[in-house]
Amino acid sequence: MGGKILAVASEVFPLVKTGGLADVVGALPGALAHHGVEMRVMVPGYPQIMAALKEAQPVHRYDDLFGGPARILAGRTHGLDLLIVDAPHLFDRPGNPYLGPDGADWPDNWQRFAALSRAAADMGQGAVKAFVPEIVQAHDWQAALAVAYLNFAPSPAAKTILTVHNIAFQGQFPATIFPSLGLPDAAFAIGGVEYYGGVGYLKGGLHYADAITTVSPSYADEITTPDYGMGLDGLLRARRDVLTGIVNGIDTAIWSPASDQHLALTYVPRNFIQRRQANKRAIEQRLGLQEGDGPLFCVVSRLTWQKGMDLLVQCLDGLVGQGARLALLGAGEAALESDFKAAAAMYPGRIGVVIGYDESLSHLLQGGADSILIPSRFEPCGLTQLYGLRYGCVPVVAHVGGLADTIVDANEAALDQESATGLKFAPVDTSALARAIDRAIRLYADRKAWNSIQKAGMKTDVSWEKSAKRYALLYKKLLENRHEAR
Ligand code: ADP
Ligand code: GLC
């Protein structure tokens, strides 16, 4: 099918990750290579990236890119062809890619991500002869301005796709920044980047993109409604004809219970029941949990309102009261962190909590816990339920977005047909979550039914196979229309 695509993003696994965006951006190039698509990834030159790519070669230079000299470097690592925006005045800062040491957004994020976008748009106009992309695919608000820049570029310029991983994050800035962005005056309009009197990066991208994708079909529908659109639903309804939902896959080489180095014991569908026990023991030891007959639930999550973690806090007495246990790995809002720490102190041996980010423990939890709880209020796709399916860690999920699209609820019909892969609940509130936890505890006691849910999950195709094909088709369609007027 072919196509040269420049993906632009603020994170890429395994170099910089705060969430699922990094996993997806890191996995797509490999998945698409099977379809003849050549995808390179443009990312900011954070210290972690510069350190991993000492050999990278300069392919373009700027005397002044939003306040200082900068270069575009090209390099290869971990099987990824990267283009790095080396702009030390913007990106040479340790730690979280978005937040300063005080935990607040960097005040110059508008320049940092306008610079990333500007560099991508320049490549979309052929600034780097060695790789002239036919399509620039911008991921989330941090890259969205590339779409606006390319809209005003003289042709020939790359076609544009904006991929929305989370519409809650919009890149909203005061109008005073507009003159510094280098966009024509005409762009500061309702039909442009103007948004409630300020500048909206995501909004502008959604307005100008040749195509818009998001990470599941249900979320594509949801964001056209006021309940989920976070103010952008009207624009998305107007652009419904170019909006598609393509569900994420997972990197099945990294997430494979048969070869996962982070597990105490690896396993395959033939021997998983016994061998997962060793991983459960390892979790118990690591988190100071007692052994027990009831299920061991786990959570691997950002601790935020989106993820419904406050609802789970309300369900912990009931969970423990019925003989279940919880192992939680997460970081995020201070109030939630302290609620979970307090719960662990109240129920020693029954609730174990690790506050922080730990890639290795996130694998062990999937490989040893019985079930993963995901009570999200909204979830564009969600990856942890897909890891759960693959690892036989039964997902209990809210019926929203990508969670709704990827899990088959254990209702009577699905249990009879052995097609159930998890439990879904709605509405997303405390009592429905509590009922879902009860239902999981009861099902777990019926070991035959539970094992059949695990097996069906492990058999589910959660690879990139199908979705990579959908992206490849979308690229093909866009390139066929290349000569159409905008
Ligand atoms: P989101 O991107 O909204 O946070 P996803 O489910 O798409 O949600 O992706 C989350 C990713 O981040 C998964 O790979 C998950 O394993 C990982 N993750 C989340 N919290 C932690 C943590 N505290 N430690 C390690 N990995 C985490
Ligand atoms: C976002 C969403 C999550 C999705 C991820 C990758 O962070 O919150 O649902 O899985 O992006 O697309």
Side-chain angles (χ1 to χ4, degrees):
M1 250 175 242
K4 282 189 179 178
I5 319 291
L6 181 68
V8 193
S10 55
E11 311 186 6
V12 61
F13 184 85
L15 302 173
V16 185
K17 166 170 166 177
T18 72
L21 169 66
D23 291 318
V24 171
V25 172
L28 264 178
L32 284 161
H34 303 304
H35 297 275
V37 173
E38 188 183 353
M39 177 176 277
R40 301 199 182 178
V41 182
M42 176 171 264
V43 285
Y46 311 116
Q48 309 90 301
I49 297 211
M50 298 303 286
L53 280 140
K54 293 209 181 68
E55 313 284 299
Q57 294 298 314
V59 290
H60 192 67
R61 284 174 204 280
Y62 295 92
D63 293 336
D64 182 359
L65 184 67
F66 290 91
R71 302 180 299 175
I72 300 177
L73 309 177
R76 198 175 154 77
T77 184
H78 294 89
L80 294 166
D81 282 306
L82 296 183
L83 291 139
I84 302 146
V85 182
D86 173 27
H89 62 293
L90 300 172
F91 300 124
D92 186 13
R93 305 172 196 180
N96 183 289
Y98 317 113
L99 312 176
D102 56 354
D105 288 344
W106 288 109
D108 60 349
N109 272 352
W110 68 272
Q111 288 167 305
R112 300 172 79 223
F113 296 111
L116 173 69
S117 302
R118 178 74 261 174
D122 291 342
M123 284 198 61
Q125 293 168 75
V128 175
K129 293 287 165 279
F131 187 73
V132 179
E134 296 162 285
I135 296 174
V136 169
Q137 181 171 6
H139 291 273
D140 273 353
W141 75 264
Q142 293 90 348
L145 224 46
V147 173
Y149 287 129
L150 279 166
N151 179 71
F152 292 102
S155 60
K159 289 267 184 181
T160 55
I161 300 177
L162 181 58
T163 298
V164 179
H165 295 263
N166 194 332
I167 206 145
F169 303 111
Q170 301 186 351
Q172 186 64 4
F173 302 101
T176 45
I177 72 159
F178 181 77
S180 312
L181 292 177
L183 283 165
D185 289 349
F188 194 72
I190 293 186
V193 303
E194 191 272 336
Y195 189 48
Y196 291 111
V199 176
Y201 284 20
L202 189 71
K203 190 261 169 164
L206 291 173
H207 177 79
Y208 290 122
D210 294 316
I212 301 169
T213 69
T214 186
V215 288
S216 69
S218 285
Y219 194 61
D221 280 339
E222 286 168 354
I223 57 180
T224 63
T225 69
D227 282 351
Y228 293 92
M230 308 247 174
L232 291 167
D233 46 290
L235 172 56
L236 285 162
R237 282 194 297 280
R239 304 226 60 203
R240 195 68 181 94
D241 55 330
V242 300
L243 168 64
T244 48
I246 303 178
V247 84
N248 290 329
I250 67 172
D251 190 324
T252 49
I254 294 169
W255 291 90
S256 165
S259 58
D260 192 326
Q261 297 300 309
H262 303 297
L263 301 185
L265 211 54
T266 58
Y267 56 91
V268 292
R270 182 171 35 83
N271 58 23
F272 77 99
I273 295 176
Q274 245 190 342
R275 292 174 71 95
R276 286 182 102 263
Q277 289 298 323
N279 296 321
K280 193 187 268 191
R281 298 289 95 84
I283 296 170
E284 288 162 352
Q285 268 181 8
R286 174 85 191 267
L287 274 78
L289 292 168
Q290 292 155 6
E291 290 186 23
D293 294 332
L296 173 61
F297 290 101
C298 76
V299 166
V300 179
S301 183
R302 293 185 288 118
L303 302 180
T304 64
W305 185 85
Q306 172 191 345
K307 300 294 179 180
M309 287 292 132
D310 51 315
L311 306 176
L312 179 58
V313 170
Q314 302 298 318
C315 295
L316 294 179
D317 294 336
L319 184 153
V320 171
Q322 292 178 82
R325 293 163 297 147
L326 173 71
L328 176 139
L329 167 64
E333 291 165 15
L336 288 168
E337 290 185 356
S338 67
D339 284 349
F340 282 110
K341 277 193 264 185
M346 174 121 101
Y347 296 114
R350 313 297 298 172
I351 296 184
V353 167
V354 175
I355 299 295
Y357 193 90
D358 187 333
E359 194 71 32
S360 177
L361 181 56
S362 77
H363 285 242
L364 181 63
L365 289 171
Q366 299 277 13
D370 298 300
S371 171
I372 182 161
L373 298 173
I374 315 177
S376 306
R377 287 191 168 89
F378 66 93
E379 196 61 76
C381 180
L383 297 178
T384 57
Q385 83 280 15
L386 303 179
Y387 302 141
L389 289 175
R390 183 134 165 91
Y391 279 65
C393 182
V394 175
V396 174
V397 305
H399 194 291
V400 293
L403 301 172
D405 289 343
T406 55
I407 301 300
V408 179
D409 179 63
N411 58 34
E412 284 304 310
L415 281 171
D416 279 352
Q417 292 161 23
E418 302 193 336
S419 59
T421 60
L423 286 76
K424 291 203 256 199
F425 67 91
V428 191
D429 62 20
T430 307
S431 61
L433 171 58
R435 286 198 302 277
I437 290 172
D438 291 356
R439 190 151 72 92
I441 293 171
R442 281 198 308 276
L443 263 174
Y444 180 78
D446 177 352
R447 222 37 76 88
K448 197 164 152 274
W450 189 262
N451 292 158
S452 116
I453 298 173
Q454 288 177 295
K455 280 185 198 148
M458 293 173 81
K459 264 197 252 157
T460 303
D461 180 6
V462 288
S463 75
W464 272 106
E465 186 81 18
K466 279 187 277 197
S467 296
K469 207 179 276 169
R470 295 203 175 112
Y471 276 113
L473 270 172
L474 173 70
Y475 302 149
K476 185 167 171 256
K477 223 173 77 191
L478 266 185
L479 293 177
E480 282 167 359
N481 298 340
R482 186 170 4 191
H483 303 297
E484 280 177 18
R486 281 182 202 273

